[in-house]
Amino acid sequence: MRAKPLTESEKITMKCVWDIGDGARLSRIMTLANDKYGKEWKPQTVSTFLGKLVRKGFVEQYRDGRYFYYRILIDKHTYRTQMIRDDVEFWDDDSLEMYCSELLDKKTFTAKERKQLKSIIADAKD
């Protein structure tokens, strides 16, 4: 299943859900978003973003007692790999060579980070 694009606020909300894991509650998601991302979101704001994530198929909502919880339907790895693929197709006209050259550009990462990336790529060869 192809994940739908997320707005920046939906990404932050979903990242909080991924960080918390299955069974995340609204209050915990709100606290994490506010603390980690410097937001000043109220419960209604986070609830709105969660509703959109439910409609987009990223999470499902369930009730246990008086609280609603959220179960992850699309894992972070699946979403991120799809977004990388979309970036390569759109920004680099489906050219992996262009994408990799951007990753290794001195404006993208420090020399130490580029060395680490090259090592990771070398180790990943089949």
Side-chain angles (χ1 to χ4, degrees):
M1 181 181 116
R2 183 149 184 84
K4 295 182 171 131
L6 299 177
T7 66
E8 286 304 309
S9 295
E10 291 166 352
K11 281 183 198 177
I12 290 170
T13 305
M14 192 62 218
K15 176 71 166 66
C16 291
V17 174
W18 282 321
D19 288 350
I20 296 166
D22 279 337
R25 281 186 35 209
L26 171 69
S27 61
R28 180 70 181 109
I29 297 165
M30 182 185 69
T31 299
L32 186 57
N34 290 343
D35 292 348
K36 188 172 183 177
Y37 298 102
K39 300 297 180 184
E40 294 180 8
W41 290 345
K42 305 289 185 228
Q44 185 59 46
T45 303
V46 177
S47 181
T48 297
F49 297 140
L50 287 166
K52 290 178 180 185
L53 291 170
V54 168
R55 285 190 294 283
K56 289 182 176 185
F58 279 81
V59 296
E60 68 179 356
Q61 182 185 57
Y62 64 96
R63 187 180 192 125
D64 187 9
R66 59 185 276 212
Y67 296 108
F68 286 101
Y69 298 87
Y70 295 88
R71 182 177 296 114
I72 298 166
L73 299 177
I74 297 177
D75 66 274
K76 182 169 66 171
H77 178 76
T78 299
Y79 176 74
R80 295 226 348 125
T81 55
Q82 180 184 317
M83 293 303 102
I84 291 168
R85 183 77 235 160
D86 289 350
D87 280 351
V88 171
E89 289 175 5
F90 182 78
W91 294 108
D92 300 314
D93 298 323
D94 216 11
S95 168
L96 284 176
E97 182 179 339
M98 191 181 307
Y99 182 78
C100 289
S101 71
E102 291 167 349
L103 283 177
L104 297 172
D105 188 288
K106 65 182 177 183
K107 295 176 186 173
T108 307
F109 295 108
T110 66
K112 182 180 177 181
E113 291 168 331
R114 290 192 311 275
K115 184 177 179 182
Q116 182 182 10
L117 183 58
K118 288 176 186 177
S119 175
I120 292 167
I121 291 170
D123 289 346
K125 290 183 181 176
D126 296 328

